[in-house]
Amino acid sequence: LEALTYLYLHGNQLTGAVPSELGQLEALTYLDLYGNQLTGAVPSELGQLESLASLDLSNNDLTGALPSELGQLKALTSFRLSNNELTGTVPSEVEQLEALTSSSLSNNELSGI
């Protein structure tokens, strides 16, 4: 899976936590886990995906705070985490993503931005 660039698992009724091992897919540019039943925190390891341009974890049951490591996603242009149960403040590192053109964090309990 070292060359995997696109992972689209939209609406598959996946359960459990978002695997932290996804952070090892160094070539990944597009990660879509929208519309599943994923729980737990957003793994900080996703911040290791330096090539990631699009991240969609919307419409799951994710909880907790956003990891500041997401601010390392310098290539990120689309960031979607709406309709989860995320809490806390949006990390300042995420607010400084210069390539970001589209962001949706609605229907959470987040503050900031």
Side-chain angles (χ1 to χ4, degrees):
L1 294 177
E2 292 175 7
L4 186 68
T5 59
Y6 190 97
L7 183 58
Y8 183 81
L9 296 172
H10 177 111
N12 278 293
Q13 299 181 5
L14 299 174
T15 60
V18 176
S20 60
E21 293 82 4
L22 290 175
Q24 298 172 8
L25 299 175
E26 295 177 9
L28 202 62
T29 58
Y30 189 92
L31 177 58
D32 185 340
L33 299 176
Y34 172 96
N36 285 289
Q37 298 165 10
L38 298 170
T39 57
V42 175
S44 60
E45 290 84 356
L46 295 183
Q48 299 170 11
L49 298 172
E50 294 178 6
S51 299
L52 195 67
S54 180
L55 175 62
D56 193 343
L57 301 176
S58 298
N59 289 34
N60 281 287
D61 296 310
L62 299 174
T63 57
L66 292 177
S68 61
E69 289 84 356
L70 294 179
Q72 298 170 14
L73 300 174
K74 302 302 181 194
L76 198 65
T77 59
S78 178
F79 183 57
R80 301 186 182 286
L81 290 168
S82 58
N83 299 312
N84 281 290
E85 299 173 27
L86 299 169
T87 57
T89 302
V90 175
S92 60
E93 295 86 351
V94 172
E95 293 179 23
Q96 297 171 14
L97 291 171
E98 294 180 10
L100 198 60
T101 59
S102 175
S103 176
S104 178
L105 301 172
S106 61
N107 295 319
N108 285 291
E109 298 295 326
L110 295 168
S111 60
I113 296 190

